[in-house]
């Protein structure tokens, strides 16, 4: 995982001043150019050809050191006494879960079908705002852990003061993974896969395929896997069906 490296491509193109102004005033949700540069780690600014495909521990720690100490304390509280990350883990599947008691059990059982269980870890961040009651997700996750003791499941829990955006939840989740990686002293780069808690089915080689995609091309920072939906969903949303089949 290369934190914040993907923004480099925006800087290398050096668009015209007019184009920069267009982007900054657009409705695409992009930040001003200077703010993207501020987010890039010094090591990447100094060397845009820096190869992190084999060892990214130094830059992960550099990224974590830039975070607010209060935020890091929150992450450590989330992680608690969870087991250390195993050294042979290649892929981590990150799943935010907000009141997903109807789906999270099925989702985790789907990941239990995957080959090479020792090569991947599933990290679930159960979360909800302070004004919303906790559902039964924790008991369901605990039962799956007991049912599949050789499946690497890490259950994190966070109560937010207010309802967070999904982007905020995923940042907490991803940063907690990076912090565990750092504290486990794992130098090798790890693929972090951002998924959802309502998985219907999955290929048995999913985790290995994700890892292999990055191993095959050291210049790849991010990929998007192929998605599909249940037949009933396509019946309700025919345009979604068309877009998935034609794209």
């Amino acid at each position: 995982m290369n934190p914040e490296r993907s923004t480099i491509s925006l800087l290398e193109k050096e668009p015209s001043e007019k184009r920069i102004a267009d982007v900054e005033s657009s409705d695409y949700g992009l930040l001003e150019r200077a703010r993207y540069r501020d987010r890039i780690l010094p090591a990447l600014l100094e060397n845009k050809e820096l190869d992190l495909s084999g060892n990214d521990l130094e830059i992960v720690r550099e990224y974590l050191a830039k975070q607010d100490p209060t935020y890091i304390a929150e992450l450590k509280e989330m992680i608690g006494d969870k087991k250390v990350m195993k050294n042979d883990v290649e892929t981590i599947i990150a799943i935010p879960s907000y009141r997903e008691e109807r789906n999270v059990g099925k989702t985790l059982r789907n990941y239990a079908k995957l080959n090479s269980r020792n090569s991947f870890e599933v990290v679930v961040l159960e979360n909800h705002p302070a004004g919303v009651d906790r559902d039964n997700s924790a008991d369901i996750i605990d039962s799956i852990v007991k049912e599949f003791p050789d499946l690497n499941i890490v259950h994190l829990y966070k109560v937010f003061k207010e309802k967070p955006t999904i982007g905020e939840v995923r940042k907490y989740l991803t940063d907690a993974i990076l912090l565990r990686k750092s504290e486990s002293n794992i130098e090798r780069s790890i693929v972090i896969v951002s998924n959802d808690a309502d998985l219907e089915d999955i290929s048995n080689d999913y985790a290995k395929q994700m890892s292999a995609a990055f191993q095959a091309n050291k210049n790849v920072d991010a990929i998007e896997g192929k998605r599909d939906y249940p037949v009933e969903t396509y019946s309700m949303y025919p345009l979604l069906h068309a877009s998935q089949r034609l794209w």
Side-chain angles (χ1 to χ4, degrees), residues 4-202:
E4 305 188 8
R5 186 181 182 187
S6 59
T7 56
I8 288 180
S9 60
L10 295 176
L11 299 175
E12 290 176 336
K13 293 180 180 179
E14 298 295 342
S16 66
E17 293 302 320
K18 182 177 185 301
R19 178 56 182 158
I20 293 173
D22 289 344
V23 170
E24 291 177 357
S25 62
S26 72
D27 295 326
Y28 293 114
L30 298 177
L31 303 175
E32 296 83 358
R33 182 186 179 87
R35 293 183 65 184
Y36 283 110
R37 180 174 288 276
D38 291 342
R39 293 183 176 202
I40 298 176
L41 301 180
L44 293 175
L45 282 173
E46 294 167 5
N47 181 9
K48 294 180 181 180
E49 302 301 322
L50 185 64
D51 183 5
L52 302 174
S53 59
N55 184 336
D56 66 0
L57 182 58
E58 180 180 350
I59 203 166
V60 165
R61 287 176 171 169
E62 186 179 343
Y63 165 75
L64 292 171
K66 291 181 64 176
Q67 308 305 307
D68 187 274
T70 303
Y71 174 64
I72 294 295
E74 287 185 72
L75 296 179
K76 289 184 176 182
E77 182 180 2
M78 278 170 46
I79 295 170
D81 59 354
K82 297 295 186 297
K83 56 188 177 183
V84 297
M85 189 179 293
K86 295 182 179 179
N87 196 50
D88 50 359
V89 167
E90 299 175 357
T91 304
I92 297 183
I93 300 165
I95 304 174
S97 177
Y98 170 59
R99 296 183 60 83
E100 291 281 2
E101 63 181 8
R102 295 175 56 187
N103 299 311
V104 70
K106 180 179 180 179
T107 293
L108 293 177
R109 284 192 173 86
N110 274 318
Y111 287 118
K113 300 187 304 183
L114 268 57
N115 300 324
S116 305
R117 288 184 183 174
N118 63 321
S119 70
F120 71 93
E121 182 178 273
V122 182
V123 182
V124 181
L125 173 52
E126 182 194 355
N127 69 95
H128 61 86
V132 175
D133 292 336
R134 190 177 187 180
D135 69 0
N136 197 39
S137 293
D139 290 340
I140 295 170
I141 295 170
D142 289 344
S143 70
I144 299 296
V145 170
K146 294 176 182 177
E147 185 177 349
F148 302 100
D150 59 337
L151 181 62
N152 296 319
I153 299 177
V154 177
H155 178 199
L156 307 179
Y157 177 63
K158 171 71 177 174
V159 178
F160 291 94
K161 292 181 180 179
E162 298 178 356
K163 186 174 182 180
T165 64
I166 186 59
E168 184 179 1
V169 176
R170 290 193 187 278
K171 176 172 170 55
Y172 270 84
L173 177 51
T174 301
D175 288 352
I177 291 170
L178 293 177
L179 184 57
R180 286 185 62 240
K181 179 183 188 297
S182 174
E183 294 185 340
S184 300
N185 292 311
I186 296 178
E187 296 182 350
R188 179 171 42 81
S189 295
I190 290 175
V191 176
I192 299 179
V193 183
S194 184
N195 280 354
D196 295 325
D198 55 352
L199 179 67
E200 290 293 328
D201 201 359
I202 197 167

